[in-house]
Amino acid sequence: MSRAPDTRFVRGCRALGGAMLAALAWLLVGAAFTPLPPALSAGGSYGASVRFLDREGELLREVRADDSARAVWVPLDEVGDGVVRAVLAAEDRRFDEHVGVDPAAAARAVATSIRARRIVSGASTITMQLARLVEPHPRTVRGKLGEMAMAVRIEASLSKARILEEYLNRAPFGAGVRGIGAASRYFFDKPPRELSTAEAATLAGIPRGPSFYSLVRRPDRVLARRDRVLDRMLAAGTIGPEEHARAKAEPLTLQIGKGGFGAPHLVDALLAGSLDPSVPALRGRTSRVETTIDRGLQREVERAAGDVLRPLAERHVTAASVLVVDNATGDVLAYVGSPRWEDDAHGGKNDGVRARRQPGSTLKPFVYGLAMEDLGWTPATVLPDVELHLATAGGTYSPRNYDERFHGPVRLREALASSYNVPAVFAATEVGVARVLDRLRDVGLGTLREAPEFYGPALALGDGEVRLYDLVGAYAAIARGGVHRPLRAVRAAEDVDLPAAPPERRVMPEAEAAMLADVLRDRTARVAAFGEHSALDLPFAVAAKTGTSKGYRDNWTVGFTRELTVGVWVGNFDGSPMTKVSGITGAAPLFAAAISAATRRAPAADGPARAPAGVARTRVCALSGGAPSPGCKHVVEELVPRGHRLAPCAMHEVVKVDVRNGLRATPACPARVVAERTFERFDGPFASWAHATGRAGAPNESSPLCGPSAAREIVSGSRSDVAIRYPRDGARFLVDPDRPRAAQAIPLKVDAPAAADVALFVDGRLAGRSAAGAPVYWPLERGAHAIVAEAGGHRSDPVGIVVE
């Protein structure tokens, strides 16, 4: 009777053994026919997220990997023993003993599930979890068997250390975080090997259920799970009772996402390789980038951009960009592509630092600098701010100033500081547009790629497209005394050999750079255009230039101190115009905020500033820019090249007058009625301007009170230059057949001595007479015509025009 139970027991054991052998055979055969997943055969790596660090090594921004996860691969020997012990205790305490499948754990899981009549535990080893991570299987019996077969295959192909490294770097931790390296950085802001025992146990417990054990939403569950992991570590003998107690008592202190979302536009530019040709695209090539950004300054400038733009919203201003650069190194300290990256309604993801926009008057310093170099001009050189007509390929071009006025003779200092347009166009015409274009390209404005004829003389006013990034680099060259140094935003990138930056090079003579900087730094010279108290009046010396493009679509302020160069663009990314917002009202307040913030943070350069070589200060006549004469009542100091000889002032003359009527005194006038008076003298291109603005010159007639022989004596000018100023030789005009002929007249304008009466002849016939500077209007007639002017007994060269 006793043999029956024994027989049944033996049969049961045989059946169970056979089933286990069959299962083992199936696993071995299945493993043999299961290929190693490509993700594991390719070596330990994946599309890691990229950590961008600021200049102090702090996290600036982390860009997720191709699957939108925060991830960074960490070798096993950099993980730390604490993490390894915690993970093995939490997930697979017999990891070193099994071959991918843990039979004891599997049997226990089956028994538990049968008793509960549901799947309670999957008995997954670390290797099985890795199999599921690299090649997901359906959650069915068949899927589970396939997962087990793959686990055996992995164990046969990889070492235990490699399997553990792969798992630790692929395990999910919730919040879009993958791998122990990214998890320790994201949740605790430290590398894995620096985690405490409690922190290691916290992270080790999350991969079992990243959503259930969420550090963000359910820290209570995470703490309970952490304590169970610590209990297992104590039971396994990997920690002692004291460490166990200390770890359980440690509070959960998170540093989630520390480092935030700094400089997103710069990061995008570096990933795409679109900022600097010397820095290759970094996407997919590195997991760690050391930038030159000052994170504190970056945040301060970002806030300033939002603060300055807020009150300008009612004038249709929605975007701004700022770049701050260290002059000594070329390092980019702050890079704001737009005020708010997330503002999709206003194109917040557009990058104004890299965008090509018309720079307005910010190109003028380089035009004047070239004229100083090529033509010997100085800040004292007097330029004509008068009506100007230039023949171009597109027709006659007549520049106008922002205030719609002409200012007559202006020194270069005034013309540049007050940003007058007409003198700048005149300067570009004098040196040649091709030379101007070469200079602009030489200082780094490489986006000006068209031929000189495409731009014409309006290039001096910003009729082209440049990047704020390049424009700041060009101004930094002036700040360095004419030396251009490429800007740098990246110090190092892990696993990437960055090419050496191009060497610095001189792009303008030091003396010319010093004179330009002195003009741009001159607050007094800016007053005429910007008023007594403008946004550029700062408590420290700053050289600055504003610019506004046509139609108020862009405005700029770029400038520098000894240590820093700052550039600001303000406008709208969709190209729509602002409402009467200029560089001084739009970009200048943000420039002031940015350069003030940067100056507070940047250490001052050692020692006093070195005096620029080759220049010296001298006294000049404020009106003519020449050597002061007795008639010059207003004399100013000016910076000129050392040894430069000034021409005598030719715009003041001392004349003896009869005090009874103000006319010229003759030798017959009694001494008691004669006095010397100083008068302004405007000849040549300034005569018309003086007449139009009512600037009185010296009297032409002699006093009749001193004798009849002197009456009506005309005193001719000492200069005999008579020239037709408009139209230009070779000009062409069209007659509109739909308009009356009398309504289609052009002004004939002549430069002549101020005292002269002018007669104008067209094809030998008198067209009219006028005072010097006043126009004569001539109705258009089809055909070729020759125009000649006579004044003071002198005759101009003929000017030929064609009317069609």
Side-chain angles (χ1 to χ4, degrees):
M1 296 292 294
S2 60
R3 292 182 179 177
D6 293 342
T7 303
R8 287 195 299 271
F9 176 75
V10 171
R11 289 176 179 173
C13 289
R14 288 175 177 173
L16 180 59
M20 293 178 65
L21 288 173
L24 179 60
W26 187 92
L27 282 176
L28 293 174
V29 172
F33 286 94
T34 300
L36 189 67
L40 299 179
S41 61
S45 64
Y46 49 54
S49 58
V50 185
R51 291 172 57 81
F52 287 83
L53 310 179
D54 72 358
R55 64 190 299 108
E56 302 299 331
E58 297 294 329
L59 181 64
L60 185 68
R61 184 184 172 200
E62 184 172 4
V63 179
R64 297 190 182 192
D66 296 339
D67 61 355
S68 297
R70 294 182 178 90
V72 57
W73 193 274
V74 180
L76 185 61
D77 58 4
E78 295 180 16
V79 169
D81 292 340
V83 171
V84 172
R85 294 196 305 265
V87 168
L88 293 181
E91 297 295 335
D92 193 351
R93 61 191 178 92
R94 282 186 288 272
F95 173 71
D96 291 325
E97 303 167 11
H98 61 66
V99 293
V101 178
D102 186 346
R108 184 177 64 252
V110 170
T112 304
S113 298
I114 290 174
R115 285 196 301 270
R117 297 190 177 184
R118 62 184 177 86
I119 297 178
V120 177
S121 173
S124 293
T125 64
I126 283 178
T127 315
M128 291 171 64
Q129 292 182 57
L130 176 60
R132 187 163 61 244
L133 288 170
V134 297
E135 196 166 297
H137 291 73
R139 299 182 68 84
T140 62
V141 173
R142 183 174 182 179
K144 195 69 174 179
L145 292 173
E147 184 181 295
M148 294 168 71
M150 183 175 289
V152 175
R153 178 69 173 85
I154 291 172
E155 289 275 352
S157 303
L158 305 180
S159 67
K160 286 288 186 179
R162 171 72 185 284
I163 292 170
L164 187 57
E165 180 178 315
E166 292 279 352
Y167 170 76
L168 288 171
N169 282 287
R170 297 180 186 277
F173 288 86
V177 177
R178 184 180 69 217
I180 190 66
S184 62
R185 283 288 186 182
Y186 182 73
F187 292 115
F188 295 110
D189 193 33
K190 61 179 68 172
R193 70 191 322 160
E194 295 180 12
L195 293 172
S196 68
T197 300
E199 291 168 341
T202 299
L203 294 182
I206 293 176
R208 173 165 294 192
S211 298
F212 187 80
Y213 299 112
S214 170
L215 273 169
V216 178
R217 295 188 302 271
R218 297 305 302 266
D220 55 325
R221 292 177 179 172
V222 176
L223 275 174
R225 172 71 172 154
R226 179 199 72 175
D227 290 347
R228 288 197 296 273
V229 174
L230 290 171
D231 291 342
R232 291 185 181 184
M233 294 177 73
L234 177 63
T238 55
I239 60 173
E242 290 184 4
E243 188 176 0
H244 174 264
R246 188 168 53 250
K248 273 198 169 185
E250 184 177 311
L252 182 61
T253 304
L254 301 177
Q255 301 287 337
I256 294 179
K258 187 177 179 181
F261 199 65
H265 298 88
L266 171 62
V267 168
D268 271 17
L270 295 176
L271 288 173
S274 58
L275 182 63
D276 185 338
S278 69
V279 179
L282 298 178
R283 188 181 301 278
R285 303 182 63 177
T286 184
S287 60
R288 187 175 185 273
V289 180
E290 298 175 18
T291 74
T292 59
I293 293 294
D294 179 328
R295 184 170 59 167
L297 178 62
Q298 175 76 22
R299 289 174 175 173
E300 194 167 348
V301 174
E302 286 173 352
R303 285 195 299 269
D307 293 343
V308 171
L309 252 63
R310 202 168 294 115
L312 292 174
E314 61 185 22
R315 299 173 72 178
H316 190 53
V317 181
T318 62
S321 303
V322 187
L323 191 70
V324 182
V325 169
D326 177 77
N327 290 337
T329 62
D331 284 356
V332 174
L333 303 179
Y335 185 118
V336 179
S338 75
R340 291 195 303 146
W341 169 273
E342 68 278 6
D343 185 8
D344 291 334
H346 298 113
K349 292 181 176 60
N350 287 309
D351 184 356
V353 175
R354 286 181 291 153
R356 300 180 183 183
R357 309 296 294 237
Q358 289 196 341
S361 297
T362 59
L363 300 188
K364 289 175 182 174
F366 305 101
V367 178
Y368 287 124
L370 185 61
M372 291 176 181
E373 185 177 346
D374 285 6
L375 306 178
W377 291 6
T378 75
T381 299
V382 166
L383 305 175
D385 186 5
V386 297
E387 192 169 352
L388 186 64
H389 303 277
L390 302 174
T392 69
T396 300
Y397 172 54
S398 302
R400 291 290 185 270
N401 290 320
Y402 178 77
D403 61 4
E404 294 295 334
R405 296 169 50 215
F406 297 110
H407 305 90
V410 293
R411 283 177 291 126
L412 186 152
R413 175 178 295 274
E414 300 168 302
L416 176 54
S418 293
S419 200
Y420 296 146
N421 289 340
V422 176
V425 172
F426 174 79
T429 304
E430 290 295 296
V431 298
V433 176
R435 281 285 289 142
V436 172
L437 189 56
D438 287 343
R439 169 56 54 88
L440 294 175
R441 289 169 178 167
D442 204 32
V443 297
L445 303 181
T447 55
L448 298 171
R449 296 170 181 162
E450 304 295 337
E453 296 75 22
F454 176 84
Y455 302 108
L459 179 61
L461 309 184
D463 198 0
E465 292 185 336
V466 305
R467 303 190 308 171
L468 178 60
Y469 187 83
D470 301 326
L471 190 59
V472 168
Y475 270 75
I478 302 176
R480 295 188 199 98
V483 174
H484 185 274
R485 177 178 293 122
L487 302 187
R488 183 179 70 156
V490 177
R491 286 177 166 176
E494 194 172 77
D495 300 324
V496 177
D497 291 328
L498 297 177
E504 64 180 32
R505 54 193 173 82
R506 179 161 294 283
V507 292
M508 66 178 69
E510 185 177 7
E512 278 68 26
M515 289 187 286
L516 285 177
D518 189 70
V519 172
L520 295 175
R521 203 179 286 119
D522 190 342
R523 299 183 185 184
T524 303
R526 288 196 291 258
V527 168
F530 302 132
E532 289 283 352
H533 303 290
S534 75
L536 297 179
D537 289 338
L538 297 169
F540 49 88
V542 58
K545 183 72 192 75
T546 63
T548 304
S549 70
K550 291 180 290 188
Y552 296 100
R553 284 176 168 78
D554 311 276
N555 61 61
W556 311 70
T557 301
V558 190
F560 51 86
T561 63
R562 181 182 172 191
E563 293 82 17
L564 302 158
T565 298
V566 175
V568 172
W569 168 85
V570 168
N572 298 295
F573 285 127
D574 63 4
S576 57
M578 298 168 283
T579 305
K580 301 279 185 174
V581 178
S582 68
I584 196 66
T585 58
L590 180 52
F591 169 86
I595 201 165
S596 296
T599 300
R600 286 193 300 269
R601 298 180 65 89
D606 293 334
R610 182 177 66 85
V615 293
R617 295 199 178 273
T618 189
R619 292 167 61 81
V620 302
C621 173
L623 178 64
S624 68
S629 68
C632 298
K633 303 303 182 185
H634 186 197
V635 177
V636 296
E637 273 201 347
E638 191 54 273
L639 193 69
V640 299
R642 193 176 299 278
H644 179 75
R645 297 187 62 182
L646 296 171
C649 173
M651 290 188 178
H652 291 99
E653 58 178 332
V654 178
V655 176
K656 292 181 178 181
V657 299
D658 186 336
V659 297
R660 295 169 294 179
N661 54 21
L663 298 180
R664 287 181 177 256
T666 68
C669 291
R672 69 179 184 277
V673 299
V674 176
E676 286 189 344
R677 301 274 172 82
T678 300
F679 295 93
E680 294 177 336
R681 181 187 184 112
F682 298 104
D683 293 329
F686 302 119
S688 298
W689 169 82
H691 180 272
T693 55
R695 298 285 286 263
N700 298 324
E701 298 181 359
S702 298
S703 174
L705 301 179
C706 296
S709 62
R712 305 301 300 171
E713 178 183 351
I714 303 297
V715 181
S716 62
S718 61
R719 296 179 65 183
S720 61
D721 50 316
V722 178
I724 295 173
R725 180 154 53 88
Y726 185 82
R728 293 285 182 176
D729 190 42
R732 306 181 75 87
F733 299 90
L734 294 176
V735 173
D736 186 347
D738 296 327
R739 296 177 60 202
R741 177 176 176 272
Q744 300 185 65
I746 61 172
L748 307 181
K749 299 182 180 181
V750 177
D751 289 332
D757 292 323
V758 178
L760 278 152
F761 298 87
V762 179
D763 301 330
R765 298 191 303 272
L766 180 66
R769 297 181 182 274
S770 72
V776 169
Y777 288 88
W778 175 71
L780 293 176
E781 295 179 0
R782 287 188 173 89
H785 304 281
I787 305 172
V788 174
E790 293 182 355
H794 301 281
R795 188 180 183 89
S796 73
D797 291 332
V799 167
I801 66 170
V802 175
V803 181
E804 300 174 344

